[in-house]
Amino acid sequence: MKIVAQIKEPINQEMELFETKFQDSMSSQVALLNRITYYIVNRKGKQMRPMFVFLTAKLLNNGEVNERTYRGASVIELIHTATLVHDDVVDESNKRRGFFSINALWKNKIAVLVGDYLLSKGLLLSIDNGDFDLLRIISVAVREMSEGELLQIEKARRLDITEEVYYDIIRQKTATLIAACCSLGACSVKPDSEDVETFRKFGELIGMAFQIKDDLFDYGEAKIGKPTGIDIKEQKMTLPLIYVLNVCSKNEKKWLINSIKNYNKDKKRVKEVIAFVKEKGGLTYAEKKMQAFKDEALSLLDAYPTSEYKDSLKLMVNYVVDRKK
């Protein structure tokens, strides 16, 4: 946890105040809803998304944030939480960060309604305060996330994903939310400035590296809180596999596709696929691409003066690719 504490150092005060504001933004007249949102708040993750919002805003605004920054951070966390609650229903997942998911404790119907509630609270927080520029950033992110997930499902059925399509999927599915965090931070303090687009791009590049790192975990031995080989079981075409399908022989490709289509639940075969992808350089290739996204993101910070916020953002970028889970 040491590295995360280090990243948070220049925004500790903001993050503490954010906790209170975020909790308030979820309050309801319905006791059941309050019980569930209390459960959500007390099982929060590292809160990387609000951290991106505050660090970006402080970097661009001489270490100052405003009420719009807090609202931007709350909105993105509300939307993110809503998507996680819905994802657990879609994936029929009973655990989230080692705790029971909402659908496991309160069943699917309530989980879907809670997700909808959080989404509407996020949108209303922006509308009630006239933050239409922030609302636009959020709405684009929600649309792209939905499109990315559906594109992945469509392509998984046919197993014909090219590297370009893979980048499109992860750009929409994962990177768009981190891009929204950074552009929200910029827009909250410097609306209509070029910085909003620069930091959108910065967040997108980090998001790309983040997702490739996640895909690499599927081939690892480490205990990361989810079983390895799960992408293969779910017929998800990730970068290591896409690369190997493009470089292996015709017969090997036939065996690979057959394995993923028909033997994806066979533990022994999944292990063989993982070993084959490693042997053919799939992991090395994906790592190289991940590093390239990371380097491009870091280069965008070069234009900005040195500050503790810039240092924290650099640490954050490195943490994304160096993390162990």
Side-chain angles (χ1 to χ4, degrees):
M1 245 344 238
K2 198 163 167 248
I3 182 84
V4 178
Q6 218 179 323
I7 294 166
K8 266 189 183 173
E9 190 75 32
I11 50 166
N12 269 334
Q13 269 180 302
E14 285 79 10
M15 289 300 288
E16 268 179 46
L17 184 51
F18 163 74
E19 295 274 331
T20 314
K21 288 178 183 282
F22 179 55
Q23 230 164 327
D24 291 347
S25 71
M26 286 202 272
S27 66
S28 151
Q29 302 298 313
V30 181
L32 173 63
L33 249 175
N34 286 335
R35 207 155 64 238
I36 296 170
T37 54
Y38 179 79
Y39 179 82
I40 290 170
V41 166
N42 284 294
R43 277 146 195 82
K44 62 182 182 295
K46 296 182 195 77
Q47 295 188 306
M48 278 173 69
R49 286 152 194 87
M51 284 158 69
F52 274 123
V53 176
F54 289 119
L55 286 170
T56 303
K58 291 187 89 167
L59 171 93
L60 292 171
N61 201 35
N62 302 318
E64 298 292 321
V65 297
N66 55 32
E67 280 305 313
R68 269 164 57 86
T69 316
Y70 284 104
R71 290 197 294 269
S74 292
V75 168
I76 205 81
E77 199 66 349
L78 283 164
I79 304 288
H80 175 58
T81 308
T83 61
L84 294 184
V85 172
H86 282 163
D87 279 353
D88 287 339
V89 175
V90 171
D91 298 337
E92 298 175 356
S93 174
N94 290 324
K95 287 281 179 83
R96 165 74 58 184
R97 299 191 191 106
F99 296 99
F100 285 113
S101 57
I102 304 301
N103 47 302
L105 291 173
W106 285 280
K107 302 290 175 262
N108 283 353
K109 186 176 182 178
I110 288 177
V112 170
L113 293 169
V114 169
D116 291 347
Y117 172 77
L118 294 172
L119 184 67
S120 67
K121 283 297 257 189
L123 301 178
L124 282 168
L125 183 61
S126 297
I127 291 166
D128 292 346
N129 291 284
D131 299 328
F132 297 109
D133 49 352
L134 304 187
L135 183 60
R136 181 174 178 77
I137 292 169
I138 297 287
S139 303
V140 168
V142 173
R143 182 197 70 203
E144 292 203 329
M145 282 157 68
S146 311
E147 284 180 349
E149 288 287 357
L150 288 163
L151 179 60
Q152 184 168 45
I153 291 166
E154 179 195 344
K155 293 295 180 182
R157 287 183 180 147
R158 300 212 301 270
L159 299 183
D160 63 346
I161 295 185
T162 62
E163 199 170 318
E164 282 315 304
V165 171
Y166 165 79
Y167 291 139
D168 283 343
I169 290 170
I170 68 169
R171 187 175 289 115
Q172 292 182 301
K173 200 182 81 152
T174 304
T176 192
L177 195 65
I178 300 177
C181 297
C182 298
S183 53
L184 277 174
C187 193
S188 71
V189 293
K190 291 270 187 81
D192 304 320
S193 69
E194 280 178 22
D195 297 315
V196 178
E197 174 53 25
T198 301
F199 276 90
R200 186 204 65 77
K201 185 70 186 160
F202 172 74
E204 185 180 275
L205 291 162
I206 297 166
M208 301 292 277
F210 182 92
Q211 186 57 54
I212 296 173
K213 179 71 172 183
D214 253 18
D215 294 345
L216 284 163
F217 281 139
D218 205 52
Y219 289 86
E221 306 294 330
K223 294 275 175 281
I224 53 161
K226 66 174 187 177
T228 51
I230 210 156
D231 287 342
I232 295 164
K233 290 187 187 89
E234 292 177 359
Q235 299 188 350
K236 279 185 186 164
M237 302 290 281
T238 60
L239 191 54
L241 190 58
I242 292 164
Y243 170 77
V244 170
L245 280 168
N246 286 329
V247 297
C248 66
S249 70
K250 217 174 180 178
N251 283 342
E252 288 168 332
K253 187 172 182 174
K254 218 160 135 182
W255 172 81
L256 255 185
I257 288 178
N258 185 32
S259 300
I260 293 155
K261 266 193 172 161
N262 305 311
Y263 297 95
N264 57 324
K265 301 284 190 285
D266 177 337
K267 280 185 182 171
K268 185 171 171 283
R269 184 68 86 94
V270 168
K271 272 188 174 168
E272 285 171 9
V273 168
I274 288 173
F276 182 75
V277 170
K278 282 181 180 171
E279 183 200 321
K280 286 285 182 184
L283 304 198
T284 312
Y285 181 79
E287 276 164 11
K288 201 174 79 191
K289 289 289 180 186
M290 176 181 75
Q291 289 295 339
F293 283 119
K294 181 196 93 165
D295 293 343
E296 198 183 334
L298 287 173
S299 72
L300 288 176
L301 293 177
D302 291 344
Y304 297 91
T306 305
S307 67
E308 54 183 328
Y309 318 111
K310 181 174 167 176
D311 291 342
S312 271
L313 279 172
K314 282 183 174 178
L315 264 180
M316 188 90 117
V317 176
N318 287 307
Y319 171 71
V320 159
V321 300
D322 296 335
R323 67 201 160 99
K324 298 289 178 273
K325 62 177 183 176

Short mmCIF file of all heavy atoms in Angstrom, two decimals, residues 16-70:
data_model
loop_
_atom_site.label_atom_id
_atom_site.label_comp_id
_atom_site.label_asym_id
_atom_site.label_seq_id
_atom_site.Cartn_x
_atom_site.Cartn_y
_atom_site.Cartn_z
N GLU A 16 -9.96 13.24 1.84
CA GLU A 16 -10.75 13.12 3.08
C GLU A 16 -12.08 13.84 2.95
O GLU A 16 -13.13 13.30 3.31
CB GLU A 16 -9.96 13.68 4.27
CG GLU A 16 -9.14 12.62 4.97
CD GLU A 16 -8.34 13.19 6.14
OE1 GLU A 16 -8.93 13.96 6.93
OE2 GLU A 16 -7.14 12.87 6.23
N LEU A 17 -12.03 15.06 2.45
CA LEU A 17 -13.26 15.83 2.26
C LEU A 17 -14.15 15.16 1.20
O LEU A 17 -15.38 15.12 1.33
CB LEU A 17 -12.91 17.27 1.85
CG LEU A 17 -14.06 18.26 1.71
CD1 LEU A 17 -14.97 18.29 2.93
CD2 LEU A 17 -13.49 19.67 1.46
N PHE A 18 -13.50 14.61 0.18
CA PHE A 18 -14.23 13.91 -0.88
C PHE A 18 -15.06 12.76 -0.31
O PHE A 18 -16.20 12.54 -0.71
CB PHE A 18 -13.25 13.39 -1.94
CG PHE A 18 -13.83 12.32 -2.83
CD1 PHE A 18 -14.76 12.65 -3.81
CD2 PHE A 18 -13.48 10.99 -2.67
CE1 PHE A 18 -15.33 11.66 -4.62
CE2 PHE A 18 -14.03 10.00 -3.48
CZ PHE A 18 -14.95 10.34 -4.45
N GLU A 19 -14.48 12.00 0.63
CA GLU A 19 -15.19 10.86 1.26
C GLU A 19 -16.56 11.31 1.78
O GLU A 19 -17.57 10.66 1.53
CB GLU A 19 -14.39 10.34 2.47
CG GLU A 19 -13.05 9.74 2.12
CD GLU A 19 -13.13 8.29 1.75
OE1 GLU A 19 -14.03 7.59 2.23
OE2 GLU A 19 -12.29 7.86 0.93
N THR A 20 -16.56 12.43 2.50
CA THR A 20 -17.80 12.95 3.08
C THR A 20 -18.77 13.38 1.98
O THR A 20 -19.95 13.02 2.00
CB THR A 20 -17.49 14.19 3.97
OG1 THR A 20 -16.37 13.88 4.78
CG2 THR A 20 -18.67 14.56 4.84
N LYS A 21 -18.24 14.13 1.00
CA LYS A 21 -19.10 14.63 -0.08
C LYS A 21 -19.67 13.46 -0.90
O LYS A 21 -20.82 13.50 -1.34
CB LYS A 21 -18.33 15.59 -0.99
CG LYS A 21 -18.04 16.94 -0.33
CD LYS A 21 -17.23 17.84 -1.26
CE LYS A 21 -16.87 19.16 -0.61
NZ LYS A 21 -17.98 20.13 -0.59
N PHE A 22 -18.84 12.44 -1.11
CA PHE A 22 -19.28 11.28 -1.90
C PHE A 22 -20.40 10.54 -1.18
O PHE A 22 -21.41 10.17 -1.78
CB PHE A 22 -18.09 10.35 -2.17
CG PHE A 22 -18.44 9.12 -2.96
CD1 PHE A 22 -19.08 9.21 -4.18
CD2 PHE A 22 -18.15 7.85 -2.47
CE1 PHE A 22 -19.41 8.08 -4.92
CE2 PHE A 22 -18.48 6.71 -3.19
CZ PHE A 22 -19.10 6.83 -4.41
N GLN A 23 -20.24 10.37 0.14
CA GLN A 23 -21.27 9.71 0.93
C GLN A 23 -22.59 10.49 0.88
O GLN A 23 -23.66 9.92 0.69
CB GLN A 23 -20.80 9.59 2.38
CG GLN A 23 -20.97 8.17 2.91
CD GLN A 23 -20.17 7.93 4.18
OE1 GLN A 23 -19.09 8.49 4.36
NE2 GLN A 23 -20.68 7.11 5.04
N ASP A 24 -22.46 11.82 1.01
CA ASP A 24 -23.65 12.68 0.95
C ASP A 24 -24.35 12.57 -0.40
O ASP A 24 -25.58 12.60 -0.48
CB ASP A 24 -23.28 14.15 1.19
CG ASP A 24 -22.83 14.39 2.62
OD1 ASP A 24 -23.04 13.50 3.47
OD2 ASP A 24 -22.24 15.47 2.89
N SER A 25 -23.56 12.45 -1.47
CA SER A 25 -24.13 12.41 -2.83
C SER A 25 -24.96 11.15 -3.07
O SER A 25 -25.73 11.09 -4.00
CB SER A 25 -23.03 12.52 -3.87
OG SER A 25 -22.26 11.33 -3.92
N MET A 26 -24.80 10.13 -2.19
CA MET A 26 -25.54 8.89 -2.38
C MET A 26 -26.78 8.80 -1.50
O MET A 26 -27.54 7.85 -1.60
CB MET A 26 -24.64 7.69 -2.06
CG MET A 26 -23.61 7.41 -3.12
SD MET A 26 -23.04 5.70 -3.03
CE MET A 26 -21.73 5.84 -1.87
N SER A 27 -26.97 9.77 -0.61
CA SER A 27 -28.04 9.64 0.40
C SER A 27 -29.43 9.59 -0.24
O SER A 27 -29.68 10.16 -1.30
CB SER A 27 -27.96 10.78 1.40
OG SER A 27 -28.25 11.99 0.73
N SER A 28 -30.33 8.89 0.45
CA SER A 28 -31.68 8.66 -0.08
C SER A 28 -32.68 8.66 1.07
O SER A 28 -32.31 8.57 2.23
CB SER A 28 -31.68 7.30 -0.80
OG SER A 28 -32.95 6.71 -0.75
N GLN A 29 -33.97 8.72 0.72
CA GLN A 29 -35.04 8.63 1.74
C GLN A 29 -35.37 7.17 2.04
O GLN A 29 -36.13 6.88 2.96
CB GLN A 29 -36.31 9.33 1.23
CG GLN A 29 -36.14 10.80 0.86
CD GLN A 29 -35.72 11.65 2.04
OE1 GLN A 29 -36.28 11.56 3.12
NE2 GLN A 29 -34.67 12.46 1.85
N VAL A 30 -34.82 6.27 1.24
CA VAL A 30 -35.16 4.85 1.38
C VAL A 30 -34.10 4.15 2.24
O VAL A 30 -32.92 4.11 1.89
CB VAL A 30 -35.24 4.17 -0.01
CG1 VAL A 30 -35.61 2.70 0.11
CG2 VAL A 30 -36.25 4.90 -0.90
N ALA A 31 -34.55 3.58 3.36
CA ALA A 31 -33.62 2.94 4.31
C ALA A 31 -32.80 1.82 3.67
O ALA A 31 -31.59 1.70 3.90
CB ALA A 31 -34.39 2.41 5.52
N LEU A 32 -33.45 1.01 2.83
CA LEU A 32 -32.75 -0.11 2.18
C LEU A 32 -31.60 0.40 1.31
O LEU A 32 -30.49 -0.13 1.33
CB LEU A 32 -33.73 -0.93 1.33
CG LEU A 32 -33.13 -2.04 0.44
CD1 LEU A 32 -32.44 -3.12 1.29
CD2 LEU A 32 -34.18 -2.68 -0.45
N LEU A 33 -31.88 1.47 0.56
CA LEU A 33 -30.86 2.06 -0.30
C LEU A 33 -29.68 2.57 0.52
O LEU A 33 -28.52 2.36 0.18
CB LEU A 33 -31.45 3.23 -1.09
CG LEU A 33 -31.62 3.02 -2.60
CD1 LEU A 33 -32.32 4.20 -3.21
CD2 LEU A 33 -30.29 2.78 -3.30
N ASN A 34 -29.98 3.24 1.62
CA ASN A 34 -28.91 3.77 2.47
C ASN A 34 -28.07 2.66 3.07
O ASN A 34 -26.86 2.80 3.23
CB ASN A 34 -29.50 4.65 3.59
CG ASN A 34 -29.97 5.99 3.05
OD1 ASN A 34 -29.47 6.46 2.03
ND2 ASN A 34 -30.93 6.61 3.71
N ARG A 35 -28.73 1.55 3.40
CA ARG A 35 -27.99 0.40 3.94
C ARG A 35 -27.02 -0.15 2.89
O ARG A 35 -25.87 -0.46 3.18
CB ARG A 35 -28.99 -0.68 4.38
CG ARG A 35 -28.46 -1.57 5.48
CD ARG A 35 -29.53 -2.21 6.33
NE ARG A 35 -30.39 -3.14 5.59
CZ ARG A 35 -31.71 -3.01 5.50
NH1 ARG A 35 -32.32 -1.99 6.08
NH2 ARG A 35 -32.42 -3.87 4.83
N ILE A 36 -27.49 -0.23 1.66
CA ILE A 36 -26.65 -0.77 0.57
C ILE A 36 -25.52 0.20 0.23
O ILE A 36 -24.37 -0.21 0.06
CB ILE A 36 -27.51 -1.09 -0.68
CG1 ILE A 36 -28.51 -2.20 -0.34
CG2 ILE A 36 -26.61 -1.52 -1.84
CD1 ILE A 36 -29.56 -2.46 -1.41
N THR A 37 -25.81 1.50 0.14
CA THR A 37 -24.76 2.46 -0.20
C THR A 37 -23.72 2.56 0.92
O THR A 37 -22.54 2.74 0.67
CB THR A 37 -25.33 3.86 -0.55
OG1 THR A 37 -26.15 4.31 0.51
CG2 THR A 37 -26.12 3.84 -1.84
N TYR A 38 -24.17 2.38 2.17
CA TYR A 38 -23.24 2.35 3.30
C TYR A 38 -22.28 1.17 3.14
O TYR A 38 -21.07 1.28 3.36
CB TYR A 38 -24.02 2.25 4.62
CG TYR A 38 -23.13 2.19 5.85
CD1 TYR A 38 -22.55 3.35 6.38
CD2 TYR A 38 -22.87 0.98 6.49
CE1 TYR A 38 -21.73 3.30 7.50
CE2 TYR A 38 -22.04 0.91 7.61
CZ TYR A 38 -21.48 2.07 8.11
OH TYR A 38 -20.66 2.02 9.22
N TYR A 39 -22.83 0.05 2.73
CA TYR A 39 -22.03 -1.16 2.49
C TYR A 39 -21.00 -0.90 1.39
O TYR A 39 -19.84 -1.26 1.50
CB TYR A 39 -22.96 -2.32 2.10
CG TYR A 39 -22.25 -3.63 1.81
CD1 TYR A 39 -21.86 -4.48 2.84
CD2 TYR A 39 -21.96 -4.02 0.49
CE1 TYR A 39 -21.21 -5.68 2.57
CE2 TYR A 39 -21.31 -5.21 0.23
CZ TYR A 39 -20.93 -6.04 1.27
OH TYR A 39 -20.28 -7.23 1.01
N ILE A 40 -21.43 -0.23 0.32
CA ILE A 40 -20.54 0.09 -0.81
C ILE A 40 -19.39 0.99 -0.35
O ILE A 40 -18.22 0.72 -0.61
CB ILE A 40 -21.32 0.77 -1.96
CG1 ILE A 40 -22.26 -0.25 -2.64
CG2 ILE A 40 -20.37 1.36 -3.01
CD1 ILE A 40 -23.25 0.37 -3.62
N VAL A 41 -19.73 2.08 0.36
CA VAL A 41 -18.73 3.05 0.79
C VAL A 41 -17.67 2.41 1.69
O VAL A 41 -16.48 2.72 1.62
CB VAL A 41 -19.41 4.24 1.51
CG1 VAL A 41 -18.40 5.08 2.26
CG2 VAL A 41 -20.12 5.12 0.49
N ASN A 42 -18.10 1.49 2.53
CA ASN A 42 -17.17 0.87 3.47
C ASN A 42 -16.32 -0.24 2.86
O ASN A 42 -15.46 -0.80 3.53
CB ASN A 42 -17.92 0.35 4.70
CG ASN A 42 -18.28 1.49 5.62
OD1 ASN A 42 -17.42 2.14 6.19
ND2 ASN A 42 -19.56 1.79 5.71
N ARG A 43 -16.57 -0.56 1.61
CA ARG A 43 -15.75 -1.56 0.93
C ARG A 43 -15.11 -0.98 -0.32
O ARG A 43 -14.97 -1.63 -1.33
CB ARG A 43 -16.61 -2.79 0.58
CG ARG A 43 -16.74 -3.72 1.76
CD ARG A 43 -18.07 -4.43 1.83
NE ARG A 43 -18.26 -5.01 3.16
CZ ARG A 43 -18.70 -4.33 4.22
NH1 ARG A 43 -19.00 -3.07 4.11
NH2 ARG A 43 -18.86 -4.92 5.38
N LYS A 44 -14.73 0.26 -0.21
CA LYS A 44 -14.16 0.95 -1.38
C LYS A 44 -12.77 0.41 -1.71
O LYS A 44 -12.08 -0.12 -0.85
CB LYS A 44 -14.09 2.45 -1.13
CG LYS A 44 -13.20 2.82 0.04
CD LYS A 44 -13.21 4.31 0.28
CE LYS A 44 -12.29 4.69 1.41
NZ LYS A 44 -12.64 4.19 2.71
N GLY A 45 -12.36 0.60 -2.97
CA GLY A 45 -11.03 0.17 -3.40
C GLY A 45 -10.01 1.29 -3.15
O GLY A 45 -10.15 2.09 -2.23
N LYS A 46 -9.04 1.38 -4.03
CA LYS A 46 -7.97 2.38 -3.85
C LYS A 46 -8.42 3.79 -4.21
O LYS A 46 -7.75 4.76 -3.94
CB LYS A 46 -6.76 2.01 -4.73
CG LYS A 46 -6.13 0.69 -4.32
CD LYS A 46 -4.92 0.40 -5.19
CE LYS A 46 -4.48 -1.03 -5.06
NZ LYS A 46 -5.32 -1.97 -5.82
N GLN A 47 -9.57 3.88 -4.90
CA GLN A 47 -10.13 5.17 -5.35
C GLN A 47 -9.18 5.90 -6.30
O GLN A 47 -8.96 7.11 -6.20
CB GLN A 47 -10.46 6.06 -4.14
CG GLN A 47 -11.57 5.47 -3.28
CD GLN A 47 -12.03 6.42 -2.22
OE1 GLN A 47 -11.23 6.92 -1.45
NE2 GLN A 47 -13.32 6.67 -2.16
N MET A 48 -8.65 5.15 -7.25
CA MET A 48 -7.74 5.73 -8.23
C MET A 48 -8.41 6.82 -9.06
O MET A 48 -7.78 7.81 -9.40
CB MET A 48 -7.21 4.64 -9.17
CG MET A 48 -6.05 3.87 -8.59
SD MET A 48 -5.61 2.47 -9.66
CE MET A 48 -4.93 3.31 -11.08
N ARG A 49 -9.69 6.64 -9.34
CA ARG A 49 -10.36 7.59 -10.24
C ARG A 49 -10.47 8.99 -9.64
O ARG A 49 -10.07 9.96 -10.27
CB ARG A 49 -11.70 7.01 -10.70
CG ARG A 49 -11.49 5.89 -11.71
CD ARG A 49 -12.58 4.84 -11.75
NE ARG A 49 -12.08 3.69 -12.51
CZ ARG A 49 -11.38 2.69 -11.98
NH1 ARG A 49 -11.11 2.69 -10.69
NH2 ARG A 49 -10.97 1.69 -12.73
N PRO A 50 -10.97 9.13 -8.40
CA PRO A 50 -10.96 10.49 -7.81
C PRO A 50 -9.53 11.03 -7.66
O PRO A 50 -9.31 12.24 -7.81
CB PRO A 50 -11.58 10.28 -6.42
CG PRO A 50 -12.32 9.01 -6.51
CD PRO A 50 -11.68 8.17 -7.55
N MET A 51 -8.57 10.16 -7.42
CA MET A 51 -7.18 10.61 -7.30
C MET A 51 -6.72 11.28 -8.59
O MET A 51 -6.08 12.33 -8.57
CB MET A 51 -6.26 9.42 -6.93
CG MET A 51 -6.37 9.02 -5.47
SD MET A 51 -5.85 7.31 -5.15
CE MET A 51 -4.11 7.40 -5.45
N PHE A 52 -7.06 10.69 -9.73
CA PHE A 52 -6.73 11.29 -11.03
C PHE A 52 -7.37 12.67 -11.17
O PHE A 52 -6.75 13.60 -11.67
CB PHE A 52 -7.20 10.40 -12.18
CG PHE A 52 -6.22 9.32 -12.58
CD1 PHE A 52 -6.58 7.98 -12.59
CD2 PHE A 52 -4.93 9.65 -12.98
CE1 PHE A 52 -5.68 6.99 -12.96
CE2 PHE A 52 -4.03 8.67 -13.37
CZ PHE A 52 -4.40 7.34 -13.35
N VAL A 53 -8.64 12.78 -10.74
CA VAL A 53 -9.36 14.07 -10.85
C VAL A 53 -8.63 15.15 -10.05
O VAL A 53 -8.32 16.23 -10.57
CB VAL A 53 -10.83 13.94 -10.34
CG1 VAL A 53 -11.53 15.30 -10.38
CG2 VAL A 53 -11.61 12.93 -11.19
N PHE A 54 -8.32 14.86 -8.78
CA PHE A 54 -7.71 15.88 -7.91
C PHE A 54 -6.28 16.21 -8.32
O PHE A 54 -5.88 17.38 -8.31
CB PHE A 54 -7.74 15.43 -6.44
CG PHE A 54 -9.12 15.44 -5.86
CD1 PHE A 54 -9.71 14.28 -5.39
CD2 PHE A 54 -9.86 16.61 -5.80
CE1 PHE A 54 -11.00 14.29 -4.86
CE2 PHE A 54 -11.14 16.65 -5.27
CZ PHE A 54 -11.71 15.47 -4.80
N LEU A 55 -5.50 15.20 -8.69
CA LEU A 55 -4.11 15.46 -9.08
C LEU A 55 -4.04 16.32 -10.34
O LEU A 55 -3.23 17.24 -10.44
CB LEU A 55 -3.34 14.14 -9.27
CG LEU A 55 -2.97 13.40 -7.98
CD1 LEU A 55 -2.44 12.01 -8.30
CD2 LEU A 55 -1.94 14.18 -7.16
N THR A 56 -4.91 16.01 -11.30
CA THR A 56 -4.93 16.79 -12.55
C THR A 56 -5.33 18.24 -12.27
O THR A 56 -4.68 19.19 -12.73
CB THR A 56 -5.92 16.17 -13.57
OG1 THR A 56 -5.53 14.81 -13.81
CG2 THR A 56 -5.91 16.91 -14.89
N ALA A 57 -6.40 18.41 -11.47
CA ALA A 57 -6.87 19.78 -11.17
C ALA A 57 -5.79 20.58 -10.44
O ALA A 57 -5.53 21.74 -10.78
CB ALA A 57 -8.14 19.70 -10.32
N LYS A 58 -5.13 19.96 -9.46
CA LYS A 58 -4.12 20.69 -8.68
C LYS A 58 -2.88 21.01 -9.52
O LYS A 58 -2.27 22.06 -9.37
CB LYS A 58 -3.75 19.89 -7.42
CG LYS A 58 -4.88 19.84 -6.41
CD LYS A 58 -4.48 19.21 -5.08
CE LYS A 58 -3.94 20.26 -4.14
NZ LYS A 58 -3.82 19.76 -2.75
N LEU A 59 -2.53 20.09 -10.43
CA LEU A 59 -1.39 20.32 -11.32
C LEU A 59 -1.63 21.56 -12.18
O LEU A 59 -0.73 22.37 -12.40
CB LEU A 59 -1.17 19.10 -12.22
CG LEU A 59 -0.15 19.27 -13.34
CD1 LEU A 59 1.23 18.80 -12.89
CD2 LEU A 59 -0.55 18.51 -14.59
N LEU A 60 -2.88 21.72 -12.66
CA LEU A 60 -3.20 22.80 -13.60
C LEU A 60 -3.58 24.10 -12.91
O LEU A 60 -3.67 25.14 -13.55
CB LEU A 60 -4.36 22.37 -14.51
CG LEU A 60 -4.05 21.25 -15.51
CD1 LEU A 60 -5.33 20.79 -16.18
CD2 LEU A 60 -3.04 21.71 -16.56
N ASN A 61 -3.83 24.05 -11.60
CA ASN A 61 -4.41 25.23 -10.95
C ASN A 61 -3.61 25.65 -9.71
O ASN A 61 -4.19 26.01 -8.69
CB ASN A 61 -5.88 24.94 -10.60
CG ASN A 61 -6.69 26.19 -10.39
OD1 ASN A 61 -6.47 27.20 -11.06
ND2 ASN A 61 -7.63 26.14 -9.46
N ASN A 62 -2.29 25.55 -9.83
CA ASN A 62 -1.40 25.97 -8.73
C ASN A 62 -1.76 25.37 -7.38
O ASN A 62 -1.78 26.05 -6.35
CB ASN A 62 -1.39 27.51 -8.60
CG ASN A 62 -0.96 28.16 -9.90
OD1 ASN A 62 -0.03 27.70 -10.55
ND2 ASN A 62 -1.66 29.22 -10.29
N GLY A 63 -2.11 24.09 -7.40
CA GLY A 63 -2.38 23.39 -6.15
C GLY A 63 -3.75 23.66 -5.55
O GLY A 63 -4.03 23.27 -4.41
N GLU A 64 -4.63 24.33 -6.33
CA GLU A 64 -5.98 24.64 -5.81
C GLU A 64 -7.04 23.79 -6.51
O GLU A 64 -6.92 23.50 -7.69
CB GLU A 64 -6.31 26.12 -6.06
CG GLU A 64 -5.39 27.11 -5.38
CD GLU A 64 -5.52 27.10 -3.87
OE1 GLU A 64 -6.66 26.98 -3.37
OE2 GLU A 64 -4.48 27.20 -3.18
N VAL A 65 -8.09 23.42 -5.75
CA VAL A 65 -9.27 22.79 -6.37
C VAL A 65 -10.48 23.62 -6.00
O VAL A 65 -10.39 24.53 -5.19
CB VAL A 65 -9.47 21.32 -5.90
CG1 VAL A 65 -8.31 20.44 -6.29
CG2 VAL A 65 -9.72 21.25 -4.40
N ASN A 66 -11.63 23.33 -6.62
CA ASN A 66 -12.85 24.06 -6.29
C ASN A 66 -14.01 23.07 -6.13
O ASN A 66 -13.81 21.86 -6.22
CB ASN A 66 -13.15 25.12 -7.37
CG ASN A 66 -13.22 24.50 -8.76
OD1 ASN A 66 -13.63 23.34 -8.92
ND2 ASN A 66 -12.82 25.25 -9.78
N GLU A 67 -15.20 23.60 -5.90
CA GLU A 67 -16.37 22.72 -5.69
C GLU A 67 -16.65 21.86 -6.92
O GLU A 67 -17.10 20.72 -6.81
CB GLU A 67 -17.61 23.54 -5.32
CG GLU A 67 -17.65 23.97 -3.87
CD GLU A 67 -17.54 22.81 -2.88
OE1 GLU A 67 -18.24 21.79 -3.05
OE2 GLU A 67 -16.73 22.90 -1.94
N ARG A 68 -16.38 22.42 -8.10
CA ARG A 68 -16.60 21.64 -9.33
C ARG A 68 -15.69 20.41 -9.36
O ARG A 68 -16.08 19.35 -9.85
CB ARG A 68 -16.31 22.52 -10.57
CG ARG A 68 -17.54 23.24 -11.08
CD ARG A 68 -17.17 24.37 -12.02
NE ARG A 68 -16.38 23.96 -13.18
CZ ARG A 68 -16.89 23.52 -14.34
NH1 ARG A 68 -18.19 23.40 -14.48
NH2 ARG A 68 -16.10 23.23 -15.34
N THR A 69 -14.48 20.56 -8.83
CA THR A 69 -13.55 19.41 -8.80
C THR A 69 -14.12 18.30 -7.94
O THR A 69 -14.10 17.13 -8.32
CB THR A 69 -12.17 19.84 -8.26
OG1 THR A 69 -11.78 21.08 -8.84
CG2 THR A 69 -11.13 18.79 -8.57
N TYR A 70 -14.67 18.69 -6.78
CA TYR A 70 -15.27 17.68 -5.89
C TYR A 70 -16.48 17.01 -6.54
O TYR A 70 -16.66 15.80 -6.43
CB TYR A 70 -15.70 18.31 -4.55
CG TYR A 70 -14.53 18.58 -3.63
CD1 TYR A 70 -14.02 19.87 -3.47
CD2 TYR A 70 -13.91 17.54 -2.94
CE1 TYR A 70 -12.94 20.12 -2.64
CE2 TYR A 70 -12.83 17.78 -2.11
CZ TYR A 70 -12.35 19.07 -1.96
OH TYR A 70 -11.27 19.29 -1.14
#
